[in-house]
Amino acid sequence: MSGLLGRPVRAVNAGVELFAGEVERQGAEVTRVEWRPPAGAEEALERLAGRAEETAAANDRAVAAMQAAEPRVVGIGRAGDLVPDLDERTLLHAGPPIGWTDMCGPLRGAIIGAAVHEGIAADPDDAVRLAERGGLRFAPCHDHGAVGPMAGVVSASMPVWLVENGDRGNRAVCTLNEGLGRVLRYGAYDVQVLDRLAWMRDVLARVLAAALARLPEPLDLRAMIAQALQMGDEGHNRNRAGTSLLLRALLPALLTVDEPTADVVAAAQFISGNDHFFLNLAMAAGKATADAAAGTAGASIVTAMARNGTEFGIRLAGTGDRWFTGPAGVVDGLYLPGFGPEDANRDIGDSTITETIGIGGMAMAAAPAIVRFVGGSPEDAVAATLAMYDITWAESAAYQLPALGFRGTPLGIDCREVVHTGVLPTVNTGIAHKDPGVGQVGAGLVEPPMEAFVAATRALAGSAERMEAAPISSRAPGGGDA
């Protein structure tokens, strides 16, 4: 083995011994660093290293599906009409599955508010009694083709954006963004919160649906997100440019819709006054994009990261709908006046679907101003993005970073590399108060739990070996698990 300049290669190996042995076998000098993957992961990494070519081919297919995704807004509708099996007593939530007993304060608060909003509970106390005696059903948004920010609660009468991947036709939905502060998604449920939800259902959704119907073609979210990154957004906690682009795209249609002028003015003012309004569209775009890669047998690419405020969960392209979980992290951030770390709930929300498709924390280099919201310095934002190239399979063809010479954002989190390097995905997020009924108290950065990635890596190794052993005739068509 010789280097690019014709000199002998000298390698440093940290982690799995198999890599060092292979380099030494080719005649190179290897220095070993005393570092090993978390307990239980080393064996799985070695088993996967033995079929690296197959994994690489699967990852290429999974990431190609994400690169080709064309998320477009095709309408707004009632969640109960668009989401299968979503009746009045079923409430979707962020993150992996969880029952009422284990729910954190802000998720309980959002459940309480949604039950009152739907009219199945007379008041908050009635909603709690209903939940405690099993009168409500709970399910993850991700299991129903949906995503939701923070608590992520979706109920049947709520309006949702309907986003379709023009490349494959798969669809995703997400609620409309309520703004910051005392809002349902942060666990608040007072009269102001419920009145706003009712107005969004009865007025805002109707006006926006009328405007969308007048557009000559569906809104191209991939193009809109790409442009927003050029304008200083990162697509998760900074969406000022995206919201402005959305309003500019809708404005000509809003001026011509056959709706009461007062309602149109109120809708335009609501959007223009909420810099985060575009977040929910970015999330639906992320879900439609990531789902295109789901079911790619053998692939180690992450297709979902989500938190319910108690646990953080991930899914892999190669392991289907199975969740791998660990404890939700504690957010390190900046707090609103009057609040501090003692008030904070653990990490919560489906909004990490943005990091899953290469924006959000993965694209912080695009948004130096975000550090005023989540803490740190502009240099930290660039460093965070650069570190993510070590754990991703590719670079986005659509989303580029001016600060890095228009390099594509890190795309396709490889669970093997997360475990092997010890580098966890960068996530920026809001902070909800730990008690129900309060709302947002800050924003910051948080690390996902390594346990989830270790569990996923071990499951992928087992799944790959079972597929290899199975007769060809029993394997699922199109690369799916049998």
Side-chain angles (χ1 to χ4, degrees), residues 333-348:
L334 303 178
Y335 287 85
L336 299 175
F339 298 103
E342 68 279 7
D343 299 306
N345 195 78
R346 287 180 174 269
D347 190 23
I348 185 170

Side-chain angles (χ1 to χ4, degrees), residues 22 54 158 179 245 257 290 298 306 308 310 312 314 328 330 333 386 398 422 427:
E22 179 60 23
E54 292 89 341
M158 290 182 181
L245 291 168
V257 294
N308 57 33
T310 302
F312 175 102
I314 68 169
V330 176
L386 290 174
V427 173

Side-chain angles (χ1 to χ4, degrees), residues 73 75-76 147-149 159-163 173-181 183 185-186 196-197 199-201 203-209 211-212 219 221 224-225 228 233-251 254 263-285 351 354 373 440:
V73 182
I76 288 178
V147 279
V160 290
W161 295 105
L162 178 60
V163 172
V173 302
C174 187
T175 52
L176 280 58
N177 193 283
E178 312 161 69
L180 295 177
V183 290
R185 73 177 188 278
Y186 278 94
R196 185 189 304 114
L197 288 175
W199 176 81
M200 292 173 70
R201 177 193 61 204
V203 177
L204 180 63
R206 190 189 73 238
V207 170
L208 289 178
L212 290 174
L219 290 173
L221 291 176
M224 204 169 283
I225 293 171
D233 280 359
E234 42 71 73
H236 185 167
N237 270 296
R238 183 176 170 85
N239 283 284
R240 180 172 294 180
T243 300
S244 299
L245 291 168
L246 173 67
L247 191 57
R248 189 173 75 165
L250 291 175
L251 197 55
L254 284 171
D263 290 347
V264 174
V265 170
Q269 289 177 332
F270 182 78
I271 298 172
S272 66
N274 175 11
D275 285 343
H276 287 261
F277 193 76
F278 189 74
L279 167 63
N280 296 38
L281 276 170
M283 290 177 59
S351 51
T354 56
F373 190 64
Q440 184 180 12

Side-chain angles (χ1 to χ4, degrees), residues 42-194:
E42 188 170 5
E43 180 187 356
L45 286 174
E46 290 187 350
R47 288 155 62 195
L48 287 170
R51 57 188 323 278
E53 290 186 11
E54 292 89 341
T55 305
N59 286 354
D60 283 345
R61 293 194 299 274
V63 171
M66 295 169 75
Q67 297 273 30
E70 300 172 355
R72 299 169 179 166
V73 182
V74 295
I76 288 178
R78 180 178 174 276
D81 297 331
L82 297 175
V83 178
D85 304 322
L86 183 61
D87 57 33
E88 282 70 16
R89 289 184 178 269
T90 300
L91 301 175
L92 306 184
H93 60 79
I98 191 170
W100 175 258
T101 303
D102 296 323
M103 286 183 184
C104 64
L107 180 50
R108 284 190 172 200
I111 292 289
I112 292 168
V116 176
H117 174 67
E118 290 297 324
I120 54 178
D123 53 45
D125 290 339
D126 189 31
V128 171
R129 288 192 293 270
L130 193 61
E132 288 177 340
R133 68 171 184 259
L136 300 174
R137 290 177 289 275
F138 308 116
C141 289
H142 270 286
D143 289 358
H144 290 261
V147 279
M150 299 308 290
V153 170
V154 181
S155 62
S157 74
M158 290 182 181
V160 290
W161 295 105
L162 178 60
V163 172
E164 181 175 279
N165 173 10
D167 180 58
R168 298 201 173 192
N170 59 293
R171 292 182 163 190
V173 302
C174 187
T175 52
L176 280 58
N177 193 283
E178 312 161 69
L180 295 177
R182 294 185 63 79
V183 290
L184 186 82
R185 73 177 188 278
Y186 278 94
Y189 53 78
D190 60 21
V191 172
Q192 181 183 359
V193 173
L194 297 177

Side-chain angles (χ1 to χ4, degrees), residues 122 152 263 301 358 450 461:
D263 290 347
I301 301 300
M450 179 60 81

